Amino acid sequence: MLNYETISDNELAELLRSGDRGAFTEIYNRYKWLLHSHAYKWMQDREEAKDIVHELFVALWTKRESLSFPDNLSAYLYTAVRNRIFNVISHQKVASQYLNSLQAFIDEEQGATDHLVREKQMTLLIEKEIAALPVKMREVFELSRKEQLSHKEIAIQLTLSEQTVRKHVQHALKILRAKLGLMAFLFLISH
């Protein structure tokens, strides 16, 4: 029976390639703590380091026949752990960027949604106050602001003088400004 503890790394690698479980166990026992320490230095998370080392040894066993080890098994294992660490860090960075962009999108959408809600509330308030205007004044005002007709076009359509149309619009604006306040009034004239 072989004493695996006395066998060199190169011989263990050859035995591993041929499917020798004892060689695999010896490689594991020889390097697991060193590789774990190396992974922990980078990750600062014991569970993450343990997972990295575990995944390395699983891959080492499942791909044993196709692996070509250099002259130095320990260098191969350290390089393999380092590559896995870089993959995890890269994945974490991508995940973090994704989460940050998702949060920014949510924040932006929340802001847009809040803005739309406020705009809708403001529009309803303005519509309520316009509906409270005297009938002829409201009709003139709506043709002016909603239909965007000129004073002359409104005068022709309603058989009024341009002066009367102008007065109705001015009075409507004065009433709405008084009832709605400056912010709502500015919103009204900008839309």
Side-chain angles (χ1 to χ4, degrees):
M1 184 164 142
L2 283 174
N3 181 1
Y4 292 103
E5 292 176 12
T6 61
I7 297 176
S8 73
D9 283 354
N10 289 344
E11 291 172 301
L12 284 173
E14 285 302 317
L15 290 169
L16 172 66
R17 211 175 285 130
S18 67
D20 187 320
R21 289 186 183 273
F24 175 77
T25 303
E26 179 57 30
I27 293 170
Y28 179 79
N29 290 334
R30 219 177 259 190
Y31 288 103
K32 71 178 176 185
W33 293 116
L34 292 170
L35 295 173
H36 182 271
S37 294
H38 183 64
Y40 179 74
K41 270 196 302 190
W42 280 88
M43 303 307 296
Q44 295 297 307
D45 180 328
R46 293 205 186 283
E47 290 303 311
E48 191 77 52
K50 191 188 300 183
D51 288 347
I52 289 169
V53 172
H54 177 75
E55 288 171 11
L56 168 66
F57 279 106
V58 168
L60 188 66
W61 178 254
T62 57
K63 298 177 181 178
R64 67 189 175 277
E65 294 170 355
S66 62
L67 293 176
S68 60
F69 299 102
D71 293 335
N72 191 338
L73 178 62
S74 64
Y76 172 83
L77 293 172
Y78 275 105
T79 301
V81 163
R82 188 188 69 223
N83 290 341
R84 287 178 181 278
I85 290 167
F86 291 159
N87 287 342
V88 168
I89 290 171
S90 175
H91 178 74
Q92 287 172 343
K93 185 176 180 183
V94 168
S96 176
Q97 289 172 341
Y98 173 75
L99 289 176
N100 288 340
S101 71
L102 182 61
Q103 187 61 51
F105 175 76
I106 289 168
D107 292 345
E108 185 177 303
E109 283 300 306
Q110 183 68 35
T113 302
D114 288 348
H115 175 74
L116 291 174
V117 167
R118 284 192 304 274
E119 186 173 328
K120 187 172 184 174
Q121 289 172 339
M122 185 74 74
T123 301
L124 289 174
L125 177 65
I126 291 169
E127 289 299 323
K128 179 182 166 199
E129 292 302 328
I130 290 173
L133 292 172
V135 177
K136 191 55 98 176
M137 186 183 293
R138 182 182 69 236
E139 190 177 6
V140 168
F141 186 79
E142 287 178 340
L143 289 172
S144 171
R145 292 300 188 243
K146 291 182 179 177
E147 302 294 323
Q148 297 181 349
L149 298 178
S150 70
H151 290 178
K152 185 175 186 174
E153 293 168 325
I154 296 169
I156 293 169
Q157 187 172 331
L158 298 179
T159 60
L160 298 170
S161 72
E162 282 185 60
Q163 181 68 21
T164 303
V165 169
R166 186 174 298 109
K167 290 275 185 200
H168 277 308
V169 170
Q170 287 173 348
H171 286 304
L173 288 173
K174 192 174 187 180
I175 291 169
L176 292 172
R177 185 173 188 183
K179 288 190 175 192
L180 297 173
L182 183 60
M183 292 305 288
F185 180 74
L186 293 174
F187 178 83
L188 167 71
I189 62 175
S190 70
H191 281 73

